[in-house]
Amino acid sequence: MTMPGADAITRAADALRRGELVAFPTETVYGLGADAASRDALRRLYAVKRRPLDHPVIVHLASAGQLGDWTSSVPSGAQRLAAALWPGPLTMVLPRAAWVPDAADSSKLPTIGLRVPDQPVALALLREFGGGVAAPSANRFGRVSPTTADDVRTDLGDDVAEVLDGGPCRVGIESTIVDWSTDAPSILRLGGVPRETIEELLGCAVPVRDDGSVRAPGTLASHYAPATRVEVVAGGDLRARARELSTCARVGVIAPELPADLPSSVVVVGVPVDADDYAHSLYRLFRIADDERLDVVLAVPPPGKGIGAAVADRLRRAAGSRTWA
Ligand code: TXA
Ligand code: MG
C-alpha cells in the first residue's frame, strides 16, 4: 500500500485550510478536494474542474459521527446504512443543515451528499483537516475518473496544490448514491456498494431513479465516456462484430472471456477475471483505449449482479445510444 508521509498529510490539510485544492485517493476514484465550508474554495474547485455550477459535489467526512454537523435530520434507515457501510463506497443525500454554504452559487438544493471514504490516506487527511472536504472525481468535467495519482496529474497538472498518492484505487468506480430527500429512499447512481446490500440492510426494495430530475452529472449519458467510441456487445456477438469492424477500424475489446479466433488486428484491452476486477480496471482500460488511439472498443459487460450492475451501467453510459446487439 502506497502511503504518503505524515508531513505530506499535514501539508495537504494546511493547503485545504488556505482554500487551496488537494487531490487525494479514495477507495473508489481520486477526488479533488476543497474546504466544504468555504465559498471561495468551492468556487475555485468548480473553476478548475470546469464543472457547471448547478452540479453539487459530495462532502467527505472522517466519520459518521460528523453527520449531525452537516444535516438537519437523518432518517433511521440512513443511520442504519451509515453504521453498516461507512467507511465505504456509499454516498447519502440528506437534508442540508442551514449553515452549510451552497455547493456553488447556483446550486440551491436543500440537500447535501455525504460520504466517509474507506481509504487510509483519505481518512488521515480528513482527520487532520477536521472539517468536511467537498470532492468530485479529480478529472476535468466530462473526462473519465482518475484511479491513479498519475491520471490526476495528466488531467489537472499544475492546477492542484498537492496530489496525495495512495496507489491505484481498490474499487475503481464511484460510490453508490442513495437519496433520502424524498419519502422513500432511491438510488441515484449505481456504484461500489451493490444495490442488493442496501436492500438487504433496509429490508425493502430500493429503486434506481434515472429520470434526470436530479442535477447529477453521473446521470448524463456521455459522462463516463473515453474519447474512443464504446460499443456494448453480448459475449456471443463479439467475434462477428470485431470481424465486421476490423476491416476498416482499429478495434479493441474488453471482455470477461475472449472468443478463440478474433482477427489478429484486434487489440485486447482487458480481460477482467470477475465483476470486482472489471470495476477495478474499467477506467484504466478506457484510458488505454484512448492511448492506443483505437477507433472503437467493444465491451462485453459482466453479469448484472452486485457491482456488475454498476459496471454495466458505466459501459452503457459510455456507449451512449450506440449499443449494438
Ligand atoms: O466515489 C465517489 O463518489 C467519488 C469520490 C471522489 O468520492 N466522487 C464522485 O464525485 O464521484 P462526482 O462529483 O464526480 O459525482 C458526484 C455525484 C454527482 O452525480 C452529483 O450530482 C451527485 O453526486 N450529488 C452530490 N450532491 C448531491 C445532492 N445534494 N443531490 C443529488 N445528487 C448529488
Ligand atoms: Mg465524476
Side-chain angles (χ1 to χ4, degrees):
M1 157 74 63
T2 314
M3 185 83 196
D7 52 332
I9 301 284
T10 308
R11 219 167 42 234
D14 286 342
L16 288 174
R17 285 185 198 107
R18 287 194 302 271
E20 291 170 15
L21 306 183
V22 170
F24 63 97
T26 80
E27 79 281 36
T28 59
V29 301
Y30 274 71
L32 178 62
D35 179 356
S38 158
R39 270 172 220 281
D40 285 347
L42 290 170
R43 234 173 257 136
R44 184 168 300 159
L45 178 65
Y46 276 72
V48 164
K49 172 92 184 164
R50 298 188 194 140
R51 183 178 180 115
L53 289 174
D54 56 356
H55 291 254
V57 289
I58 295 168
V59 175
H60 297 66
L61 305 174
S63 89
Q66 290 168 292
L67 255 184
D69 300 345
W70 295 84
T71 57
S72 56
S73 67
V74 182
S76 62
Q79 279 164 6
R80 196 173 321 146
L81 293 191
L85 299 173
W86 280 349
L90 169 76
T91 294
M92 293 202 283
V93 173
L94 291 159
R96 176 150 58 95
W99 72 269
V100 179
D102 294 324
D105 290 343
S106 58
S107 171
K108 305 282 191 216
L109 292 175
T111 55
I112 184 165
L114 294 165
R115 101 173 183 93
V116 180
D118 183 19
Q119 211 287 352
V121 180
L123 289 172
L125 175 67
L126 289 165
R127 280 192 206 110
E128 174 77 23
F129 177 62
V133 174
S137 49
N139 52 292
R140 304 253 192 231
F141 189 70
R143 300 279 314 266
V144 169
S145 296
T147 54
T148 67
D150 277 348
D151 294 346
V152 176
R153 291 189 198 101
T154 305
D155 279 4
L156 300 180
D158 294 337
D159 282 345
V160 48
E162 187 87 42
V163 180
L164 294 174
D165 189 345
C169 300
R170 176 173 57 83
V171 177
I173 58 172
E174 298 84 350
S175 59
T176 302
I177 304 179
V178 176
D179 184 8
W180 292 96
S181 69
T182 54
D183 288 346
S186 56
I187 292 175
L188 296 184
R189 178 177 71 184
L190 292 166
V193 175
R195 175 188 188 175
E196 295 89 328
T197 305
I198 290 164
E199 293 185 329
E200 221 165 275
L201 283 164
L202 296 177
C204 64
V206 182
V208 179
R209 220 170 73 224
D210 202 359
D211 55 11
S213 64
V214 178
R215 291 277 174 196
T219 64
L220 295 181
S222 65
H223 193 65
Y224 298 94
T228 306
R229 188 159 69 88
V230 175
E231 261 188 39
V232 177
V233 299
D237 298 324
L238 179 60
R239 194 180 70 104
R241 188 58 177 154
R243 287 202 159 186
E244 185 182 354
L245 287 173
S246 61
T247 56
C248 58
R250 266 176 69 71
V251 178
V253 296
I254 302 175
E257 265 174 284
L258 291 180
D261 43 1
L262 280 175
S264 59
S265 65
V266 168
V267 177
V268 176
V269 179
V271 186
V273 296
D274 57 22
D276 286 330
D277 184 36
Y278 213 135
H280 175 72
S281 54
L282 182 69
Y283 292 145
R284 182 173 52 80
L285 299 179
F286 278 175
R287 283 172 189 263
I288 290 172
D290 284 351
D291 292 345
E292 294 268 337
R293 300 194 178 282
L294 300 176
D295 296 308
V296 57
V297 62
L298 302 178
V300 178
K305 290 193 313 280
I307 200 170
V311 173
D313 167 80
R314 297 301 187 277
L315 288 173
R316 219 168 31 242
R317 290 178 198 284
S321 57
R322 293 179 297 246
T323 303
W324 186 85

